[in-house]
DNA sequence: ATGTCGCCTACGAGGCGA
């Protein structure tokens, strides 16, 4: 979201117009005592969040009660000996959801890149363990994966030569979620379209975007999916986030 | 035109991260 405080009005408007039951937010960029609870609560949403400082920060806004909240996942790697606010899990009406902000990676030779790969590997490992114990659990990993799995998920693959988000290592880390039984539940319904456009270089007017935000569902969750959308219009107007909402409908 | 944005510290502007 690139700051919930800056965009609270837009977020509430979206929640109300869409009728969203559960919103998974990433990059709220605030600590708990800085979160704008009141407008969410006035709109009928409960907040479940994990924020440590001005960086990262993940949260849920939900009409449904959040149960079994987990801050970070078991085995989540640290960066520079600090556990960052990049993962929060909770169960809503029996559906286990994770709001995830995967490390960016920065550049291929940066320690952040190996952190990103390790973070994804550990996430896949613990999720695999969860599903081995509960094969019928409706579960989704959702958020900013900072990976474009297909060349067509970026506007010009040549532009990304030597950059993060499109490397074989990152794509392999993404595909590992498929190997443990998760599927992208949006792609079959919405095969094309970006979820992110950089603020710089007039990327949005030029439609130079990236598809890097995903909802990866277990088999039991995928069976419930009745619809999906990518809310491109949310990138328009005054004060948008650089990402747009990805919506999944369950029955 | 590095065609941007938001946070921080600290009071103006630079640093950081994306």
């Amino acid at each position: 979201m690139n700051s919930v405080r800056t965009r609270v009005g837009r977020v509430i408007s979206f929640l109300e117009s869409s009728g969203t039951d559960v919103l998974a937010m990433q990059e709220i960029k605030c600590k708990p005592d800085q979160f704008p609870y009141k407008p969410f609560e006035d709109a009928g949403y409960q907040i479940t969040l994990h924020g440590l400082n001005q960086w990262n920060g993940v949260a849920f806004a939900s009409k449904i009660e959040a149960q079994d909240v987990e801050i970070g996942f078991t085995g989540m790697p640290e960066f520079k000996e600090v556990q960052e606010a990049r993962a929060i899990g909770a169960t809503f009406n029996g559906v286990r959801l994770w709001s995830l902000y995967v490390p960016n990676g920065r550049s291929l030779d940066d320690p952040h890149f190996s952190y990103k790969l390790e973070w994804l590997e550990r996430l896949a490992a613990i999720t695999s363990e969860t599903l081995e114990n509960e094969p019928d659990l409706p579960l989704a990993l959702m958020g900013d994966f900072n990976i474009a799995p297909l060349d067509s998920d970026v506007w010009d693959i040549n532009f990304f030569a030597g950059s993060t988000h499109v490397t074989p290592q990152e794509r392999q880390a993404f595909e590992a979620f498929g190997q443990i039984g998760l599927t992208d539940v949006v792609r079959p319904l919405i095969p094309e379209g970006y979820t992110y456009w950089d603020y710089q270089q007039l990327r949005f007017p030029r439609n130079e975007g990236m598809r890097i935000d995903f909802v990866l569902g277990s088999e039991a969750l995928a069976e419930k999916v009745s619809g999906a959308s990518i809310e491109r219009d949310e990138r328009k107007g005054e004060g948008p986030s650089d990402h747009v909402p990805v919506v999944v409908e369950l029955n």
Side-chain angles (χ1 to χ4, degrees), chain A residues 187-207:
Chain A
R187 184 84 73 176
L189 296 165
I190 314 289
E192 308 214 347
Y194 303 133
T195 64
Y196 162 88
W197 296 259
D198 199 303
Y199 289 119
Q200 302 184 57
Q201 307 289 136
L202 295 174
R203 292 293 183 223
F204 184 63
R206 293 174 167 158
N207 196 29

Side-chain angles (χ1 to χ4, degrees), chain A residues 127 131 139-141 176-184 216-219:
Chain A
T127 305
L131 292 175
L139 172 147
L141 305 184
F177 293 104
Q179 288 154 16
I180 64 161
L182 300 184
T183 55
D184 180 341
L216 305 184
S218 65
E219 200 176 324

Side-chain angles (χ1 to χ4, degrees), chain A residues 13 124 169 197:
Chain A
S13 296
Q169 298 105 297
W197 296 259

Side-chain angles (χ1 to χ4, degrees), chain A residues 27-183:
Chain A
E27 253 198 307
I28 60 171
K29 298 182 91 166
C30 67
K31 295 182 265 196
D33 64 345
Q34 299 173 309
F35 193 96
Y37 296 97
K38 181 89 168 49
F40 283 90
E41 287 166 359
D42 288 350
Y45 290 86
Q46 166 195 103
I47 298 298
T48 307
L49 80 119
H50 177 36
L52 295 172
N53 50 39
Q54 71 269 43
W55 308 120
N56 317 307
V58 284
F60 293 104
S62 65
K63 288 182 179 174
I64 304 163
E65 187 194 354
Q67 297 177 314
D68 301 322
V69 175
E70 269 183 84
I71 299 301
F73 55 83
T74 304
M76 189 176 81
E78 300 176 341
F79 186 64
K80 294 182 177 173
E81 297 175 12
V82 175
Q83 285 240 348
E84 299 182 309
R86 295 182 177 275
I88 188 168
T91 301
F92 302 90
N93 283 353
V95 178
R96 186 71 180 161
L97 299 179
W98 283 91
S99 178
L100 302 168
Y101 181 37
V102 175
N104 173 287
R106 298 182 184 167
S107 63
L108 304 191
D109 57 356
D110 195 295
H112 214 260
F113 186 71
S114 48
Y115 168 53
K116 178 182 195 174
L117 296 175
E118 173 74 7
W119 200 94
L120 288 161
E121 193 178 307
R122 295 299 308 163
L123 176 62
I126 192 65
T127 305
S128 178
E129 204 172 295
T130 299
L131 292 175
E132 278 164 27
N133 294 330
E134 290 182 83
D136 298 327
L137 178 68
L139 172 147
L141 305 184
M142 50 207 304
D144 178 0
F145 281 76
N146 271 316
I147 298 172
L150 306 178
D151 285 359
S152 56
D153 291 332
V154 297
W155 82 92
D156 177 7
I157 192 62
N158 297 314
F159 180 87
F160 289 87
S163 303
T164 61
H165 293 59
V166 299
T167 64
Q169 298 105 297
E170 288 163 289
R171 288 176 172 177
Q172 194 172 11
F174 187 81
E175 284 160 16
F177 293 104
Q179 288 154 16
I180 64 161
L182 300 184
T183 55

